[in-house]
Amino acid sequence: MAVKHCTQTTRYKSKTNLNLSKLLRASAFCVIVKICVDRPRQSIRLVDATQPTSNSCINSKPVDSLHNDELDPSSNIQTSTMSTKKAYEQDGEEAREIAKCLPYFPFKGIPRFYDIGGFLEKPDVFQQIVDIFVARYGEIGIDSIAGLDARGFILGPPIALALRKPFIMMRKQGKMPNSISSDEYDTEYGKRRGLTVQRDKIKKGDRVLIIDDLVATGGTLSSAIQLVHMLGGTVVECACVVELKMFIDPPEETGLPSRTKLFKTHNIDHVPIWGLISEDVLTVEATLPDGYVDDGEEH
């Protein structure tokens, strides 16, 4: 009997020690969790993408963003509502600085062909342009952004990502399945076949922002506007980095095509167009190498 009693006592003590061990481990876990929760969180500083790099051709200035600010983790206020609002004007201070990175070349038979490759190689300048467009269109209510083949495919996606909106490609004919086409149109280079867009990308009532690098005669934009209207959408605005004002409504004696007349002909003269920079401030002539040849092809 004594042996049996001793065995039972030993089992009881072992069970008690096991429970005590579990209790201690659970208590330790609770302490660790409390320390992690109560520990003050550090403020986060984001890299300012608008600050000039060593090879920048302009002294870029930060635009409507919080890149330089420390974020308060306890705040529920969205970045867009905390940022300082600013209305960017065509040929304003920022535009004049960006224009220094847009040289012109004699190309495709045109004395002044403006090359956006000048700012694409400058990340700080490219970011500034994106920020300006995001600031302009962040609160006007758009459902999607359409970019035109091909430079609109460069500018549109970063703007769409920043605004968290779908990006739609408007391409040359024969490039996309399940698409519709607009009528052929005229440009400063000559006649062009209509653009295309996929049928399911724009729904009736959608508010669409159209993006391209440059507007001159307005032929390409008119084609894009028609596509949006064909699918029942509304064009909020056509936005370009460069607007050549000489084509808005030139005098008859110049022989230049009139964008105003073209838009009236297609009943789209109610659609606004905005360009950040005009030819008035695009004065940087590209340095041409010896033996430069204008080998531009139709596109």
Side-chain angles (χ1 to χ4, degrees), residues 87-161:
Y88 292 95
E89 299 176 354
Q90 185 178 80
D91 296 342
E93 179 183 355
E94 295 81 9
R96 290 174 182 273
E97 290 300 312
I98 294 170
K100 297 175 183 178
C101 296
L102 273 164
Y104 63 84
F105 294 77
F107 195 58
K108 297 180 183 289
I110 299 173
R112 291 194 174 195
F113 181 94
Y114 299 101
D115 177 31
I116 69 168
F119 70 73
L120 292 179
E121 67 174 348
K122 309 293 184 183
D124 53 316
V125 184
F126 191 6
Q127 181 66 60
Q128 186 180 30
I129 292 171
V130 170
D131 288 349
I132 287 173
F133 278 69
V134 169
R136 180 175 177 85
Y137 298 107
E139 295 183 354
I140 66 173
I142 60 174
D143 296 303
S144 59
I145 295 176
L148 307 192
D149 198 345
R151 295 178 183 88
F153 296 172
I154 299 172
L155 298 165
I159 297 170
L161 285 173

